[in-house]
Amino acid sequence: MKTYALTLPVDGLDTWRDHKRYLWMLGLVVPLLPFIAMALHTWTGAAATLWLGPVVVLVVVPLIDLVAGFDRSNPPDEVMEALEEDRYYRWITYAFLPVQYAGLIAGMWFLSTQDAGVAGNVGLALTLGTVAGIGINTAHELGHKKESAERWLARVALAQCFYGHFYIEHNRGHHVRVATPQDPASSRMGESFYAFWPRTVVGSLRSAWRVERKRFARRDKHPYRLGNDVLNAWLMSAVLWGALIAVFGVGILPYLVIQAVFGFSLLEVVNYMEHYGMLRQQIGPPDRRRYERVTPAHSWNSNNVATNVLLYHLQRHSDHHANPTRRFQTLRDFAESPVLPTGYTGMMLLAVIPPLFRATMDPLVVAHYDGDLRLANLAPRKREKLLARYPVPVAGTDADRPDTAVAVVGDDVAAARCPGCGHTYVVAEGNELEGFAAGTSWAEVPDDWTCPDCGVRDKVDFIPLARAES
């Protein structure tokens, strides 16, 4: 196991090891599930074996979470950079994709040539959808990185589900508006998963299109072009599906649809629980209101080992929103983060049974806001009922907070840097991808622009740089 030397001892040790280093490879078991399911069916002839994917992820993993315990350990600060640069962790995520697509092709071959009955075929489609859903999480990890190759790999991972617009909406929509009523991927207290699902599926698509349309509008161009990352992502999916249908016949189309819907529904049920009821408060003077910066208090977290390994530390969601470009192996646990009663996979089961989910989560939201639900993100149609059920304490919380950020103004700014992720806007270079031509002054950059790499810091947060620094 790789050892990192420490200048300053931690817990009396002058070295540190990632004790999950080789456990991360267990995530590659997921894309192998279709092969295992088809092998079991060949051996036993039982159609039930083809349902292996959802059984493993939604039953077996939650049970392992209950007995495997928790991992709250964080890497020491001085090894963070070296840990980030360790390419072993990158290759684990890269390796998911070829196995994912090999399983998809093998699955389509099976569905077109073998006779497993309708129940067996649906089960295999759901197993393929399970892989696709976890593949979206792999795409999530890759899509936040600055390297263009990794961002393209993210779109490849999303193609199976026909959900490529997630790459745009998640990075430039969800991370900007998370834990606000404007975010379609942040669920509201009192909202069931079945009400959330159509709102987030349709809303996320609209959000992604608006982001791309605005980007091209800055260059006075229409969005209907291959450079539009929504359109080229859909084109990638259309080519993939078209090739599979051409090879294996149109009879696989219903199963392609089933696996896609199940795959992106796994994503959305995770979205549903990650920020349930969480609300960022508005700050600043009446004429310049904006939402406070994302803090650990705006995400539900979990440190259950099994699901953390399966989902590349997705459950350390607070650190991810604070540092979206940070790689999974360096994500930290915050003691002040609100904690779910079990891992994400176990919470998925609760989410599809609304009375159980609300009985579990609503009291946790109330406790998180010290009984003052005026500070929570409430479903509009349930607001009055929730406030009546959970009366506001006599001494309500004062949510009015000042905005201490000082905007960088003036045409003499040569460059400005995001204090979070370090992204630098250089006036002389502009940012063609964002729609800013070379020479676009800092003053011409819209006030509602946010950092394109992290989505956490607004233009007002950026720090001006001297010409030598830029």
Side-chain angles (χ1 to χ4, degrees):
M1 183 177 293
K2 187 169 183 178
T3 301
Y4 296 87
L6 299 176
T7 304
L8 300 174
V10 175
D11 296 329
L13 301 175
D14 56 7
T15 60
W16 181 85
R17 295 177 179 179
D18 177 9
H19 294 287
K20 296 195 293 287
R21 182 178 179 87
Y22 299 116
L23 286 179
W24 297 117
M25 295 185 67
L26 292 175
L28 296 177
V29 171
V30 173
L32 291 173
L33 291 176
F35 296 103
I36 299 172
M38 289 182 285
L40 288 173
H41 180 268
T42 300
W43 181 40
T44 66
T49 59
L50 296 172
W51 291 71
L52 183 65
V55 170
V56 167
V57 171
L58 299 177
V59 179
V60 176
V61 174
L63 290 176
I64 295 175
D65 267 339
L66 293 177
V67 299
F70 305 92
D71 172 39
R72 296 186 174 90
S73 63
N74 291 326
D77 290 343
E78 66 175 292
V79 308
M80 293 284 277
E81 184 176 353
L83 196 59
E84 283 266 332
E85 295 302 319
D86 189 338
R87 300 192 71 83
Y88 163 80
Y89 296 96
R90 302 188 194 190
W91 283 106
I92 288 175
T93 55
Y94 299 166
F96 190 101
L97 273 64
V99 185
Q100 171 188 347
Y101 276 94
L104 175 64
I105 294 169
M108 291 302 119
W109 168 83
F110 185 97
L111 289 167
S112 65
T113 62
Q114 307 301 303
D115 183 15
V118 174
N121 289 345
V122 170
L124 181 56
L126 294 179
T127 293
L128 293 171
T130 300
V131 176
I134 304 299
I136 294 178
N137 183 60
T138 304
H140 169 261
E141 170 66 20
L142 295 170
H144 275 294
K145 304 304 170 278
K146 298 180 182 180
E147 290 83 351
S148 60
E150 291 184 290
R151 293 183 175 186
W152 270 105
L153 287 175
R155 282 176 257 192
V156 170
L158 291 166
Q160 179 176 340
C161 276
F162 231 109
Y163 223 58
H165 57 277
F166 169 80
Y167 166 78
I168 293 299
E169 199 289 322
H170 180 81
N171 291 24
R172 303 305 314 278
H174 172 63
H175 271 262
V176 174
R177 300 188 305 260
V178 63
T180 71
Q182 289 74 40
D183 180 31
S186 293
S187 62
R188 301 155 181 172
M189 182 178 176
E191 181 179 38
S192 73
F193 172 66
Y194 303 103
F196 172 77
W197 189 91
R199 183 171 72 84
T200 188
V201 170
V202 176
S204 295
L205 176 57
R206 288 175 176 170
S207 172
W209 184 257
R210 282 196 299 266
V211 168
E212 286 298 270
R213 185 176 60 192
K214 182 184 292 187
R215 181 166 71 91
F216 282 100
R218 293 175 187 144
R219 292 184 280 179
D220 295 322
K221 295 181 178 180
H222 65 78
Y224 299 97
R225 57 186 70 241
L226 279 180
N228 184 319
D229 285 333
V230 173
L231 295 182
N232 59 48
W234 289 349
L235 179 61
M236 192 180 298
S237 293
V239 170
L240 171 65
W241 283 30
L244 290 171
I245 291 171
V247 173
F248 299 114
V250 72
I252 67 169
L253 182 57
Y255 302 110
L256 279 172
V257 173
I258 289 171
Q259 64 87 28
V261 173
F262 188 70
F264 69 69
S265 294
L266 287 180
L267 161 74
E268 298 302 356
V269 75
V270 170
N271 276 338
Y272 174 72
M273 72 184 71
E274 283 177 334
H275 306 284
Y276 180 78
M278 300 287 100
L279 181 64
R280 289 152 60 196
Q281 307 306 313
Q282 289 192 312
I283 58 175
D287 61 336
R288 190 167 53 85
R289 301 287 280 174
R290 66 174 182 142
Y291 286 103
E292 64 180 326
R293 191 173 304 135
V294 181
T295 72
H298 299 127
S299 303
W300 292 100
N301 288 252
S302 172
N303 275 306
N304 293 81
V305 174
T307 308
N308 257 335
V309 169
L310 181 72
L311 299 180
Y312 305 125
H313 263 164
L314 181 67
Q315 296 180 138
R316 294 188 170 185
H317 210 60
S318 291
D319 197 12
H320 168 67
H321 270 279
N323 302 281
T325 60
R326 179 168 287 167
R327 295 185 182 275
F328 72 89
Q329 66 270 22
T330 56
L331 290 174
R332 301 160 299 173
D333 170 55
F334 293 114
E336 64 268 33
S337 300
V339 179
L340 292 170
T342 189
Y344 276 16
T345 52
M347 293 302 298
M348 289 180 189
L349 292 176
L350 283 182
V352 298
I353 309 173
L356 289 181
F357 183 84
R358 291 196 56 195
T360 302
M361 289 301 299
D362 284 8
L364 296 180
V365 177
V366 174
H368 180 66
Y369 287 106
D370 296 324
D372 193 348
L373 284 187
R374 295 176 302 175
L375 304 180
N377 189 4
L378 306 180
R381 288 186 295 179
K382 301 287 183 67
R383 183 179 181 83
E384 295 306 320
K385 183 181 294 186
L386 287 169
L387 290 175
R389 182 176 182 182
Y390 302 103
V392 175
V394 175
T397 306
D398 183 6
D400 192 20
R401 308 174 190 179
D403 187 355
T404 57
V406 179
V408 179
V409 297
D411 292 332
D412 58 339
V413 175
R417 177 172 296 161
C418 173
C421 70
H423 172 83
T424 302
Y425 178 82
V426 180
V427 170
E429 299 174 0
N431 188 323
E432 287 293 336
L433 188 62
E434 286 292 295
F436 303 129
T440 301
S441 71
W442 184 245
E444 293 177 287
V445 174
D447 290 338
D448 63 353
W449 183 74
T450 56
C451 176
D453 278 347
C454 70
V456 174
R457 300 302 184 106
D458 300 323
K459 178 188 175 183
V460 70
D461 297 312
F462 273 57
I463 300 170
L465 303 179
R467 291 186 183 277
E469 292 179 287
S470 65

